[in-house]
Amino acid sequence: GVTRRGGRFKMLIRRGNVEDLLSMQACNLMCLPENYQMKYYFYHILSWPQLLYVCEDFDGKIVGYVLAKMEEDAAEPHGHITSLAVLRSHRKLGIATRLMRASQADMQQIFGAEYVSLHVRRSNAAATHLYQTTLGFRVNDIEAKYYADNEDAYDMRYYFDKRLHGGKVQEDGSIDWSEREEAEVNKKESNNDKPEKDKKEEGDAEKSDAKKKKKKRR
């Protein structure tokens, strides 16, 4: 169960199914300004049924969900969080964290994802805190006017090998990129320490992989 003031509520985190889609859409409409037609939910559940999770409360009502997909044709296969929502009445119970971790685990274990990406509004401090502090995401980039109302988005990533690779949002809204800069310096030093033969073999392997991916996309 999940502890809450005034008692304990039984919360079930499980994979979503077709019968849950209307409830997921209703939850989305109540929680978020980014809304989707039903065919978009069907597209996700038919393509990546393993990555959709819902949270049921004690009477079977859907109170939260995560809608996710795979970007399998990208240079690095990775998962993407399309939408995450929890009803206001059930927030601060750890539901969003559990939904995210369930979907992320399947991205890695079933699809071999190297990382998971998502977008979040720059003004959404609560969501940014969840992704960055609780789940370990870092800012990869800022996408200007990403949303329909022209608000910018943080493009955030979490690498499953737990490497810190991006910027960290500060309390004043600025981004500290020191983790990324340090990682780039370490990578450069590591490459400089390798024998020339190893560098050549790695370069040849990267070219070969690039050719295979290009051929696959045709």
Side-chain angles (χ1 to χ4, degrees):
V2 179
T3 304
R4 191 180 188 191
R5 276 182 224 167
R8 292 179 69 82
F9 285 75
K10 287 183 180 178
M11 297 289 174
L12 174 65
I13 303 289
R14 62 168 175 79
R15 277 205 183 120
N17 56 55
V18 172
E19 294 174 352
D20 297 320
L21 296 184
L22 280 173
S23 295
M24 290 171 66
Q25 187 182 45
C27 184
N28 168 269
L29 290 168
M30 290 179 70
C31 297
L32 299 171
E34 293 77 46
N35 309 129
Y36 313 102
Q37 293 182 354
M38 181 52 64
K39 64 182 180 181
Y40 198 55
Y41 292 88
F42 272 108
Y43 166 63
H44 278 72
I45 202 162
L46 292 173
S47 303
W48 307 280
Q50 304 93 333
L51 303 182
L52 276 69
Y53 277 85
V54 297
C55 178
E56 272 186 16
D57 70 1
F58 61 94
D59 62 359
K61 180 182 177 182
I62 301 299
V63 298
Y65 72 88
V66 61
L67 189 68
K69 62 181 181 175
M70 285 298 300
E71 302 284 4
E72 293 162 297
D73 291 331
E76 292 179 296
H78 63 276
H80 182 77
I81 303 296
T82 302
S83 182
L84 171 72
V86 177
L87 293 180
R88 191 173 295 278
S89 57
H90 289 73
R91 292 179 188 171
K92 299 190 183 299
L93 299 175
I95 293 171
T97 301
R98 291 169 65 193
L99 287 167
M100 285 285 291
R101 286 181 172 153
S103 186
Q104 287 176 207
D106 285 341
M107 288 176 190
Q108 184 183 23
Q109 293 166 15
I110 297 174
F111 294 99
E114 295 184 25
Y115 66 89
V116 55
S117 64
L118 57 83
H119 292 95
V120 61
R121 289 176 176 268
R122 291 191 73 172
S123 63
N124 195 340
T128 301
H129 182 271
L130 167 71
Y131 297 134
Q132 179 172 275
T133 307
T134 306
L135 294 167
F137 280 74
R138 292 293 182 268
V139 177
N140 176 63
D141 199 1
I142 296 173
E143 298 200 20
K145 298 182 180 180
Y146 177 81
Y147 292 99
D149 59 3
N150 290 331
E151 182 174 350
D152 296 348
Y154 292 128
D155 163 20
M156 304 188 81
R157 294 182 181 182
Y158 173 77
Y159 280 83
F160 291 114
D161 62 9
K162 292 186 168 54
R163 68 180 185 265
L164 299 175
H165 59 283
K168 198 169 182 181
V169 181
Q170 306 299 295
E171 287 185 9
D172 63 0
S174 64
I175 299 178
D176 177 3
W177 295 100
S178 58
E179 286 179 352
R180 172 181 280 181
E181 290 163 2
E182 186 179 340
E184 287 173 354
V185 169
N186 290 339
K187 185 178 180 182
K188 205 169 186 180
E189 289 176 351
S190 175
N191 285 337
N192 288 339
D193 290 340
K194 288 179 181 176
E196 287 300 320
K197 183 185 174 187
D198 290 353
K199 289 181 188 176
K200 186 177 183 305
E201 287 176 354
E202 284 182 5
D204 291 343
E206 286 174 6
K207 286 178 185 175
S208 176
D209 288 344
K211 282 181 183 176
K212 285 178 185 174
K213 285 168 184 169
K214 191 174 181 181
K215 193 174 181 181
K216 187 180 176 184
R217 281 196 287 267
R218 284 176 183 168

